[in-house]
Amino acid sequence: LIPSDIVVDVLLREMERQCWADGRYLIDGFPRSLDNYDTWDRLVGDRVIVRFVLLIECSEEVMMQRLLKRSKTSGRSDDNAATFRKRFETYQREGLPVQALLERRGVVRKVNSDPGIDAVWHEVEAIFTA
C-alpha cells in the first residue's frame, strides 16, 4: 500500500493544481484508515474545511450481488466472492473506525444505496445542494 504521507501529498498537489481557491472537492474513498485520517489532519489541518463526508452504505448481500453481476462483464480477475470478502473484512477493520470518528465529529451524511442508483440519486443530490 502507498504510505499515507504520499497519498495526502498527491491529493493536496492536485487540489492546488485545480485552483485551490475555489475550495470544492470530492475525494472518493479517502480516508480508508485512521492512519490516512491522522496524516490528513497533520498535513492539512485547518487549511481545508471538511463540510461533510458522504457515506454511501450498502448491505453486504447487495454488494455481493452487484459484484457478481459486474464480474460477468468486467474482465477483472479480482471480481470474485473471495476477494470481496477480504475487502469487506478490511473495510470493517480499518474503515469502520474512521467512520465512527467522523460520525462523532458530526460530518457524516449517509445514503442507503440498496434500492439502486435511480432511488439514491435524489438523496445524494439533496446532500450536495443543502
Side-chain angles (χ1 to χ4, degrees):
L1 294 176
I2 301 170
S4 295
D5 285 5
I6 293 173
V7 173
V8 171
D9 182 59
V10 169
L11 285 170
L12 284 175
R13 279 195 272 149
E14 185 60 19
M15 289 167 71
E16 289 168 354
R17 190 183 76 76
Q18 295 288 335
C19 298
W20 179 270
D22 289 342
R24 293 185 182 185
Y25 300 92
L26 172 65
I27 302 173
D28 183 22
F30 185 86
R32 293 181 184 255
S33 67
L34 287 174
D35 180 58
N36 281 169
Y37 180 85
D38 291 341
T39 302
W40 173 269
D41 198 41
R42 178 174 47 83
L43 297 178
V44 178
D46 293 336
R47 293 191 292 162
V48 172
I49 298 169
V50 176
R51 299 208 185 275
F52 66 88
V53 173
L54 177 63
L55 177 62
I56 300 179
E57 297 182 302
C58 188
S59 68
E60 185 175 359
E61 179 182 328
V62 170
M63 278 191 276
M64 180 66 82
Q65 290 170 359
R66 290 176 182 169
L67 173 93
L68 294 176
K69 181 178 178 183
R70 182 178 81 175
S71 71
K72 294 176 184 175
T73 59
S74 71
R76 292 177 52 160
S77 62
D78 61 345
D79 272 354
N80 60 66
T83 301
F84 167 77
R85 284 189 197 92
K86 287 179 187 175
R87 288 182 178 163
F88 192 75
E89 289 169 7
T90 299
Y91 172 74
Q92 288 180 313
R93 184 178 60 252
E94 296 181 16
L96 287 180
V98 176
Q99 179 182 332
L101 172 73
L102 294 168
E103 285 176 343
R104 286 191 301 274
R105 297 204 171 157
V107 295
V108 175
R109 307 293 181 268
K110 294 181 183 181
V111 174
N112 179 355
S113 71
D114 282 359
I117 193 166
D118 293 330
V120 170
W121 170 245
H122 296 292
E123 289 184 56
V124 172
E125 185 178 38
I127 290 169
F128 277 91
T129 57

